[in-house]
């Protein structure tokens, strides 16, 4: 699909074609205030070009596991009436960086421990005596403590 002329408003179908989102999803995000469609006298939703970036950001952030509330909080820092600048996007990036780093750490721990144990503290495998002697992880709560926690040091002796 060719790019629309600068300044031209885009139909919801054009935006769907550019973002890969369903028209119904775009309507939902508009109704939720994550993008702001302009209405024609006939009630059709029309979008500015920068809405493509906002919607793409929403799609990527959701695929990374962020909730709509987390996404909404980040998008509040972006202007609705102009294309976001590099500085605007850098601000949002900083807002997500800590959460992404924590997720990356958890995924790395899961990858490194998955073949032996998922860190549940169940003592059902021989290696649990190495990772979790005397079921120390049980003192910190339920679930896969050794994977969810940032380090083994957080499991107190």
């Amino acid at each position: 699909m060719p790019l629309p002329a600068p300044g031209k408003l885009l139909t919801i179908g054009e935006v769907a074609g550019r973002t890969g989102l369903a028209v119904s999803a775009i309507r939902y995000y508009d109704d939720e205030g994550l993008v702001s469609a302009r209405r024609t006298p006939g009630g059709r939703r029309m979008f500015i070009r920068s809405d493509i970036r906002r919607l793409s950001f929403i799609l990527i952030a959701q695929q990374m596991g962020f909730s709509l509330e987390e996404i909404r909080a980040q998008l509040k820092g972006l202007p609705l009436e102009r294309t976001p600048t590099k500085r605007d996007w850098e601000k949002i990036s900083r807002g997500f960086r800590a959460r992404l780093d924590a997720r990356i750490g958890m995924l790395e721990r899961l990858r490194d421990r998955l073949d032996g144990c998922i860190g549940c503290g169940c003592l059902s495998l021989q290696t649990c005596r190495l990772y979790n002697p005397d079921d120390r992880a049980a003192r910190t709560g339920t679930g896969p403590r050794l994977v969810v926690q940032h380090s083994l040091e957080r499991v107190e002796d």
Side-chain angles (χ1 to χ4, degrees), residues 8-35:
K8 177 186 175 244
L9 292 176
L10 305 168
T11 67
I12 196 167
E14 289 172 319
V15 172
R18 290 292 311 283
T19 62
L21 289 166
V23 168
S24 60
I26 296 169
R27 282 190 199 108
Y28 175 75
Y29 296 140
D30 183 31
D31 292 342
E32 289 291 311
L34 297 170
V35 292

PDB file of all heavy atoms in Angstrom, residues 8-35:
ATOM      1  N   LYS A   8      -2.154  14.184   5.135  1.00  0.00           N
ATOM      2  CA  LYS A   8      -3.428  13.574   4.774  1.00  0.00           C
ATOM      3  C   LYS A   8      -3.914  12.684   5.908  1.00  0.00           C
ATOM      4  O   LYS A   8      -3.155  11.945   6.505  1.00  0.00           O
ATOM      5  CB  LYS A   8      -3.255  12.735   3.503  1.00  0.00           C
ATOM      6  CG  LYS A   8      -4.519  11.996   3.105  1.00  0.00           C
ATOM      7  CD  LYS A   8      -4.256  11.052   1.932  1.00  0.00           C
ATOM      8  CE  LYS A   8      -5.499  10.255   1.647  1.00  0.00           C
ATOM      9  NZ  LYS A   8      -5.354   8.852   1.867  1.00  0.00           N
ATOM     10  N   LEU A   9      -5.203  12.778   6.197  1.00  0.00           N
ATOM     11  CA  LEU A   9      -5.782  11.885   7.192  1.00  0.00           C
ATOM     12  C   LEU A   9      -5.966  10.505   6.586  1.00  0.00           C
ATOM     13  O   LEU A   9      -6.238  10.366   5.389  1.00  0.00           O
ATOM     14  CB  LEU A   9      -7.115  12.433   7.688  1.00  0.00           C
ATOM     15  CG  LEU A   9      -7.042  13.710   8.517  1.00  0.00           C
ATOM     16  CD1 LEU A   9      -8.442  14.193   8.871  1.00  0.00           C
ATOM     17  CD2 LEU A   9      -6.223  13.509   9.767  1.00  0.00           C
ATOM     18  N   LEU A  10      -5.814   9.499   7.414  1.00  0.00           N
ATOM     19  CA  LEU A  10      -5.909   8.116   6.966  1.00  0.00           C
ATOM     20  C   LEU A  10      -7.222   7.515   7.443  1.00  0.00           C
ATOM     21  O   LEU A  10      -7.658   7.754   8.575  1.00  0.00           O
ATOM     22  CB  LEU A  10      -4.759   7.300   7.546  1.00  0.00           C
ATOM     23  CG  LEU A  10      -3.345   7.820   7.277  1.00  0.00           C
ATOM     24  CD1 LEU A  10      -2.347   7.077   8.146  1.00  0.00           C
ATOM     25  CD2 LEU A  10      -3.007   7.664   5.824  1.00  0.00           C
ATOM     26  N   THR A  11      -7.817   6.679   6.620  1.00  0.00           N
ATOM     27  CA  THR A  11      -9.013   5.955   7.040  1.00  0.00           C
ATOM     28  C   THR A  11      -8.600   4.847   7.990  1.00  0.00           C
ATOM     29  O   THR A  11      -7.428   4.441   8.036  1.00  0.00           O
ATOM     30  CB  THR A  11      -9.748   5.337   5.840  1.00  0.00           C
ATOM     31  OG1 THR A  11      -8.908   4.303   5.286  1.00  0.00           O
ATOM     32  CG2 THR A  11     -10.103   6.376   4.785  1.00  0.00           C
ATOM     33  N   ILE A  12      -9.551   4.314   8.698  1.00  0.00           N
ATOM     34  CA  ILE A  12      -9.260   3.218   9.625  1.00  0.00           C
ATOM     35  C   ILE A  12      -8.753   1.992   8.854  1.00  0.00           C
ATOM     36  O   ILE A  12      -7.878   1.268   9.323  1.00  0.00           O
ATOM     37  CB  ILE A  12     -10.483   2.896  10.521  1.00  0.00           C
ATOM     38  CG1 ILE A  12     -10.056   2.065  11.723  1.00  0.00           C
ATOM     39  CG2 ILE A  12     -11.588   2.239   9.713  1.00  0.00           C
ATOM     40  CD1 ILE A  12     -11.108   1.972  12.807  1.00  0.00           C
ATOM     41  N   GLY A  13      -9.252   1.793   7.649  1.00  0.00           N
ATOM     42  CA  GLY A  13      -8.778   0.688   6.820  1.00  0.00           C
ATOM     43  C   GLY A  13      -7.329   0.866   6.406  1.00  0.00           C
ATOM     44  O   GLY A  13      -6.564  -0.101   6.377  1.00  0.00           O
ATOM     45  N   GLU A  14      -6.938   2.101   6.079  1.00  0.00           N
ATOM     46  CA  GLU A  14      -5.539   2.366   5.722  1.00  0.00           C
ATOM     47  C   GLU A  14      -4.630   2.127   6.924  1.00  0.00           C
ATOM     48  O   GLU A  14      -3.549   1.540   6.798  1.00  0.00           O
ATOM     49  CB  GLU A  14      -5.377   3.804   5.225  1.00  0.00           C
ATOM     50  CG  GLU A  14      -5.988   4.050   3.860  1.00  0.00           C
ATOM     51  CD  GLU A  14      -5.995   5.517   3.467  1.00  0.00           C
ATOM     52  OE1 GLU A  14      -6.282   6.380   4.330  1.00  0.00           O
ATOM     53  OE2 GLU A  14      -5.696   5.795   2.292  1.00  0.00           O
ATOM     54  N   VAL A  15      -5.070   2.558   8.087  1.00  0.00           N
ATOM     55  CA  VAL A  15      -4.279   2.355   9.306  1.00  0.00           C
ATOM     56  C   VAL A  15      -4.173   0.860   9.608  1.00  0.00           C
ATOM     57  O   VAL A  15      -3.106   0.360   9.958  1.00  0.00           O
ATOM     58  CB  VAL A  15      -4.874   3.140  10.492  1.00  0.00           C
ATOM     59  CG1 VAL A  15      -4.177   2.787  11.790  1.00  0.00           C
ATOM     60  CG2 VAL A  15      -4.790   4.640  10.228  1.00  0.00           C
ATOM     61  N   ALA A  16      -5.261   0.135   9.448  1.00  0.00           N
ATOM     62  CA  ALA A  16      -5.235  -1.313   9.664  1.00  0.00           C
ATOM     63  C   ALA A  16      -4.251  -1.968   8.693  1.00  0.00           C
ATOM     64  O   ALA A  16      -3.488  -2.854   9.085  1.00  0.00           O
ATOM     65  CB  ALA A  16      -6.634  -1.898   9.502  1.00  0.00           C
ATOM     66  N   GLY A  17      -4.273  -1.527   7.450  1.00  0.00           N
ATOM     67  CA  GLY A  17      -3.358  -2.080   6.464  1.00  0.00           C
ATOM     68  C   GLY A  17      -1.899  -1.809   6.777  1.00  0.00           C
ATOM     69  O   GLY A  17      -1.031  -2.639   6.508  1.00  0.00           O
ATOM     70  N   ARG A  18      -1.614  -0.664   7.360  1.00  0.00           N
ATOM     71  CA  ARG A  18      -0.231  -0.304   7.698  1.00  0.00           C
ATOM     72  C   ARG A  18       0.256  -0.967   8.978  1.00  0.00           C
ATOM     73  O   ARG A  18       1.434  -1.268   9.117  1.00  0.00           O
ATOM     74  CB  ARG A  18      -0.104   1.218   7.847  1.00  0.00           C
ATOM     75  CG  ARG A  18      -0.233   2.005   6.570  1.00  0.00           C
ATOM     76  CD  ARG A  18       0.927   1.780   5.612  1.00  0.00           C
ATOM     77  NE  ARG A  18       2.240   1.892   6.209  1.00  0.00           N
ATOM     78  CZ  ARG A  18       2.852   3.032   6.520  1.00  0.00           C
ATOM     79  NH1 ARG A  18       2.270   4.181   6.268  1.00  0.00           N
ATOM     80  NH2 ARG A  18       4.040   3.023   7.066  1.00  0.00           N
ATOM     81  N   THR A  19      -0.645  -1.175   9.940  1.00  0.00           N
ATOM     82  CA  THR A  19      -0.218  -1.701  11.237  1.00  0.00           C
ATOM     83  C   THR A  19      -0.394  -3.207  11.379  1.00  0.00           C
ATOM     84  O   THR A  19       0.220  -3.822  12.246  1.00  0.00           O
ATOM     85  CB  THR A  19      -1.006  -1.032  12.383  1.00  0.00           C
ATOM     86  OG1 THR A  19      -2.395  -1.329  12.232  1.00  0.00           O
ATOM     87  CG2 THR A  19      -0.771   0.464  12.428  1.00  0.00           C
ATOM     88  N   GLY A  20      -1.258  -3.798  10.563  1.00  0.00           N
ATOM     89  CA  GLY A  20      -1.569  -5.209  10.712  1.00  0.00           C
ATOM     90  C   GLY A  20      -2.608  -5.475  11.785  1.00  0.00           C
ATOM     91  O   GLY A  20      -2.930  -6.626  12.066  1.00  0.00           O
ATOM     92  N   LEU A  21      -3.133  -4.431  12.394  1.00  0.00           N
ATOM     93  CA  LEU A  21      -4.168  -4.584  13.417  1.00  0.00           C
ATOM     94  C   LEU A  21      -5.537  -4.713  12.768  1.00  0.00           C
ATOM     95  O   LEU A  21      -5.775  -4.155  11.701  1.00  0.00           O
ATOM     96  CB  LEU A  21      -4.187  -3.366  14.352  1.00  0.00           C
ATOM     97  CG  LEU A  21      -3.013  -3.233  15.308  1.00  0.00           C
ATOM     98  CD1 LEU A  21      -2.977  -1.844  15.924  1.00  0.00           C
ATOM     99  CD2 LEU A  21      -3.119  -4.291  16.398  1.00  0.00           C
ATOM    100  N   ALA A  22      -6.430  -5.401  13.425  1.00  0.00           N
ATOM    101  CA  ALA A  22      -7.811  -5.486  12.961  1.00  0.00           C
ATOM    102  C   ALA A  22      -8.480  -4.123  13.166  1.00  0.00           C
ATOM    103  O   ALA A  22      -8.149  -3.396  14.106  1.00  0.00           O
ATOM    104  CB  ALA A  22      -8.572  -6.554  13.739  1.00  0.00           C
ATOM    105  N   VAL A  23      -9.417  -3.800  12.300  1.00  0.00           N
ATOM    106  CA  VAL A  23     -10.170  -2.559  12.423  1.00  0.00           C
ATOM    107  C   VAL A  23     -10.839  -2.485  13.795  1.00  0.00           C
ATOM    108  O   VAL A  23     -10.855  -1.424  14.441  1.00  0.00           O
ATOM    109  CB  VAL A  23     -11.190  -2.421  11.270  1.00  0.00           C
ATOM    110  CG1 VAL A  23     -12.176  -1.300  11.516  1.00  0.00           C
ATOM    111  CG2 VAL A  23     -10.459  -2.229   9.942  1.00  0.00           C
ATOM    112  N   SER A  24     -11.355  -3.601  14.271  1.00  0.00           N
ATOM    113  CA  SER A  24     -12.015  -3.612  15.581  1.00  0.00           C
ATOM    114  C   SER A  24     -11.029  -3.265  16.698  1.00  0.00           C
ATOM    115  O   SER A  24     -11.390  -2.587  17.667  1.00  0.00           O
ATOM    116  CB  SER A  24     -12.664  -4.970  15.849  1.00  0.00           C
ATOM    117  OG  SER A  24     -11.688  -6.001  15.825  1.00  0.00           O
ATOM    118  N   ALA A  25      -9.787  -3.702  16.588  1.00  0.00           N
ATOM    119  CA  ALA A  25      -8.770  -3.374  17.599  1.00  0.00           C
ATOM    120  C   ALA A  25      -8.464  -1.878  17.572  1.00  0.00           C
ATOM    121  O   ALA A  25      -8.333  -1.245  18.622  1.00  0.00           O
ATOM    122  CB  ALA A  25      -7.499  -4.180  17.364  1.00  0.00           C
ATOM    123  N   ILE A  26      -8.379  -1.313  16.382  1.00  0.00           N
ATOM    124  CA  ILE A  26      -8.107   0.123  16.267  1.00  0.00           C
ATOM    125  C   ILE A  26      -9.264   0.919  16.869  1.00  0.00           C
ATOM    126  O   ILE A  26      -9.047   1.900  17.593  1.00  0.00           O
ATOM    127  CB  ILE A  26      -7.851   0.511  14.798  1.00  0.00           C
ATOM    128  CG1 ILE A  26      -6.584  -0.203  14.298  1.00  0.00           C
ATOM    129  CG2 ILE A  26      -7.722   2.027  14.641  1.00  0.00           C
ATOM    130  CD1 ILE A  26      -6.365  -0.131  12.804  1.00  0.00           C
ATOM    131  N   ARG A  27     -10.482   0.499  16.600  1.00  0.00           N
ATOM    132  CA  ARG A  27     -11.642   1.161  17.218  1.00  0.00           C
ATOM    133  C   ARG A  27     -11.554   1.078  18.742  1.00  0.00           C
ATOM    134  O   ARG A  27     -11.830   2.053  19.447  1.00  0.00           O
ATOM    135  CB  ARG A  27     -12.947   0.512  16.750  1.00  0.00           C
ATOM    136  CG  ARG A  27     -13.378   0.916  15.379  1.00  0.00           C
ATOM    137  CD  ARG A  27     -14.810   0.406  15.113  1.00  0.00           C
ATOM    138  NE  ARG A  27     -15.058   0.393  13.709  1.00  0.00           N
ATOM    139  CZ  ARG A  27     -15.153  -0.698  12.951  1.00  0.00           C
ATOM    140  NH1 ARG A  27     -15.061  -1.895  13.496  1.00  0.00           N
ATOM    141  NH2 ARG A  27     -15.372  -0.590  11.669  1.00  0.00           N
ATOM    142  N   TYR A  28     -11.201  -0.093  19.240  1.00  0.00           N
ATOM    143  CA  TYR A  28     -11.086  -0.282  20.692  1.00  0.00           C
ATOM    144  C   TYR A  28     -10.042   0.674  21.273  1.00  0.00           C
ATOM    145  O   TYR A  28     -10.291   1.339  22.281  1.00  0.00           O
ATOM    146  CB  TYR A  28     -10.740  -1.732  21.004  1.00  0.00           C
ATOM    147  CG  TYR A  28     -10.489  -1.982  22.467  1.00  0.00           C
ATOM    148  CD1 TYR A  28     -11.549  -2.040  23.363  1.00  0.00           C
ATOM    149  CD2 TYR A  28      -9.196  -2.138  22.946  1.00  0.00           C
ATOM    150  CE1 TYR A  28     -11.332  -2.251  24.720  1.00  0.00           C
ATOM    151  CE2 TYR A  28      -8.968  -2.352  24.300  1.00  0.00           C
ATOM    152  CZ  TYR A  28     -10.034  -2.406  25.177  1.00  0.00           C
ATOM    153  OH  TYR A  28      -9.812  -2.608  26.512  1.00  0.00           O
ATOM    154  N   TYR A  29      -8.853   0.737  20.658  1.00  0.00           N
ATOM    155  CA  TYR A  29      -7.801   1.610  21.159  1.00  0.00           C
ATOM    156  C   TYR A  29      -8.231   3.075  21.088  1.00  0.00           C
ATOM    157  O   TYR A  29      -7.882   3.868  21.961  1.00  0.00           O
ATOM    158  CB  TYR A  29      -6.497   1.391  20.398  1.00  0.00           C
ATOM    159  CG  TYR A  29      -5.920   0.002  20.583  1.00  0.00           C
ATOM    160  CD1 TYR A  29      -5.339  -0.670  19.513  1.00  0.00           C
ATOM    161  CD2 TYR A  29      -5.944  -0.643  21.815  1.00  0.00           C
ATOM    162  CE1 TYR A  29      -4.806  -1.941  19.675  1.00  0.00           C
ATOM    163  CE2 TYR A  29      -5.424  -1.907  21.980  1.00  0.00           C
ATOM    164  CZ  TYR A  29      -4.854  -2.544  20.912  1.00  0.00           C
ATOM    165  OH  TYR A  29      -4.333  -3.804  21.079  1.00  0.00           O
ATOM    166  N   ASP A  30      -8.988   3.426  20.070  1.00  0.00           N
ATOM    167  CA  ASP A  30      -9.525   4.781  19.974  1.00  0.00           C
ATOM    168  C   ASP A  30     -10.522   5.028  21.108  1.00  0.00           C
ATOM    169  O   ASP A  30     -10.458   6.054  21.787  1.00  0.00           O
ATOM    170  CB  ASP A  30     -10.177   4.992  18.608  1.00  0.00           C
ATOM    171  CG  ASP A  30     -10.701   6.405  18.408  1.00  0.00           C
ATOM    172  OD1 ASP A  30     -10.117   7.364  18.965  1.00  0.00           O
ATOM    173  OD2 ASP A  30     -11.703   6.548  17.689  1.00  0.00           O
ATOM    174  N   ASP A  31     -11.422   4.095  21.319  1.00  0.00           N
ATOM    175  CA  ASP A  31     -12.410   4.236  22.395  1.00  0.00           C
ATOM    176  C   ASP A  31     -11.731   4.315  23.771  1.00  0.00           C
ATOM    177  O   ASP A  31     -12.233   4.979  24.678  1.00  0.00           O
ATOM    178  CB  ASP A  31     -13.405   3.072  22.382  1.00  0.00           C
ATOM    179  CG  ASP A  31     -14.324   3.087  21.167  1.00  0.00           C
ATOM    180  OD1 ASP A  31     -14.440   4.144  20.505  1.00  0.00           O
ATOM    181  OD2 ASP A  31     -14.922   2.026  20.878  1.00  0.00           O
ATOM    182  N   GLU A  32     -10.601   3.657  23.915  1.00  0.00           N
ATOM    183  CA  GLU A  32      -9.849   3.664  25.176  1.00  0.00           C
ATOM    184  C   GLU A  32      -8.954   4.896  25.315  1.00  0.00           C
ATOM    185  O   GLU A  32      -8.307   5.072  26.344  1.00  0.00           O
ATOM    186  CB  GLU A  32      -8.990   2.399  25.287  1.00  0.00           C
ATOM    187  CG  GLU A  32      -9.790   1.145  25.528  1.00  0.00           C
ATOM    188  CD  GLU A  32     -10.421   1.134  26.909  1.00  0.00           C
ATOM    189  OE1 GLU A  32      -9.705   1.402  27.897  1.00  0.00           O
ATOM    190  OE2 GLU A  32     -11.630   0.863  27.001  1.00  0.00           O
ATOM    191  N   GLY A  33      -8.882   5.733  24.265  1.00  0.00           N
ATOM    192  CA  GLY A  33      -8.090   6.949  24.331  1.00  0.00           C
ATOM    193  C   GLY A  33      -6.607   6.768  24.068  1.00  0.00           C
ATOM    194  O   GLY A  33      -5.816   7.672  24.313  1.00  0.00           O
ATOM    195  N   LEU A  34      -6.210   5.599  23.560  1.00  0.00           N
ATOM    196  CA  LEU A  34      -4.801   5.359  23.262  1.00  0.00           C
ATOM    197  C   LEU A  34      -4.380   6.016  21.956  1.00  0.00           C
ATOM    198  O   LEU A  34      -3.200   6.304  21.745  1.00  0.00           O
ATOM    199  CB  LEU A  34      -4.522   3.856  23.226  1.00  0.00           C
ATOM    200  CG  LEU A  34      -4.760   3.148  24.568  1.00  0.00           C
ATOM    201  CD1 LEU A  34      -4.708   1.648  24.402  1.00  0.00           C
ATOM    202  CD2 LEU A  34      -3.770   3.619  25.615  1.00  0.00           C
ATOM    203  N   VAL A  35      -5.323   6.220  21.059  1.00  0.00           N
ATOM    204  CA  VAL A  35      -5.172   7.050  19.865  1.00  0.00           C
ATOM    205  C   VAL A  35      -6.402   7.958  19.830  1.00  0.00           C
ATOM    206  O   VAL A  35      -7.367   7.735  20.555  1.00  0.00           O
ATOM    207  CB  VAL A  35      -5.063   6.227  18.550  1.00  0.00           C
ATOM    208  CG1 VAL A  35      -3.770   5.449  18.496  1.00  0.00           C
ATOM    209  CG2 VAL A  35      -6.256   5.319  18.365  1.00  0.00           C
TER     210      VAL A  35
END
